[in-house]
Amino acid sequence: QVQLVESGGGLVQAGGSLRLSCAASGRTFSSYAMGWFRQAPGKERESVAAISWNGGSTYYADSVKGRFTISRDNVKSTVYLQMNSLKPEDTAVYYCAADQGRIPVGGVGAVVNYWGQGTQVTVSS
């Protein structure tokens, strides 16, 4: 069982930055691939970034490539999403996810083992 708790969301102006954190409980964090998803009002939940169990591989949706960076610290059982050059269209609830397989990015409808409760990110123009 893995429990995920996100933090770091908030209100930021366009062009600004935020760093999201997701703290995981459980002793097997390092065996899970981790990902960040987002869901805007009226839209499906989409995957934006993912990282392999050891951090050796990272994946990004085209919409965030070059602006967002995913990383993880297996000692702290935490995964991060650094978001730079934020745009109003990045406004959404951001969710952390954990899965024992690879987490796909750039699409909707992904099924993962565990979800966090979400954190709101609002980018004003």
Side-chain angles (χ1 to χ4, degrees), residues 40-96:
K43 295 188 177 181
E44 293 186 80
R45 189 174 299 187
E46 63 169 340
S47 57
V48 297
I51 189 167
S52 60
W53 66 274
N54 64 353
S57 297
T58 56
Y59 311 89
Y60 299 94
D62 288 343
S63 58
V64 306
K65 200 171 294 181
R67 301 187 297 121
F68 290 11
T69 302
I70 188 171
S71 60
R72 68 188 296 162
D73 184 334
N74 285 349
V75 174
K76 295 182 178 179
S77 297
T78 301
V79 63
Y80 305 97
L81 186 68
Q82 178 66 44
M83 306 185 294
N84 298 329
S85 302
L86 282 162
K87 304 175 181 180
E89 52 263 44
D90 294 318
T91 295
V93 177
Y94 282 71
Y95 297 89
C96 174

Side-chain angles (χ1 to χ4, degrees), residues 26-40:
R27 294 176 292 176
T28 58
F29 174 78
S30 60
S31 67
Y32 287 86
M34 300 297 297
W36 286 95
F37 290 69
R38 68 186 182 187
Q39 188 167 18

Side-chain angles (χ1 to χ4, degrees), residues 31-35 50-53 98-104 111-113:
S31 67
Y32 287 86
M34 300 297 297
I51 189 167
S52 60
W53 66 274
D99 197 86
Q100 291 182 308
R102 180 173 167 174
I103 296 176
V111 177
V112 299
N113 295 137

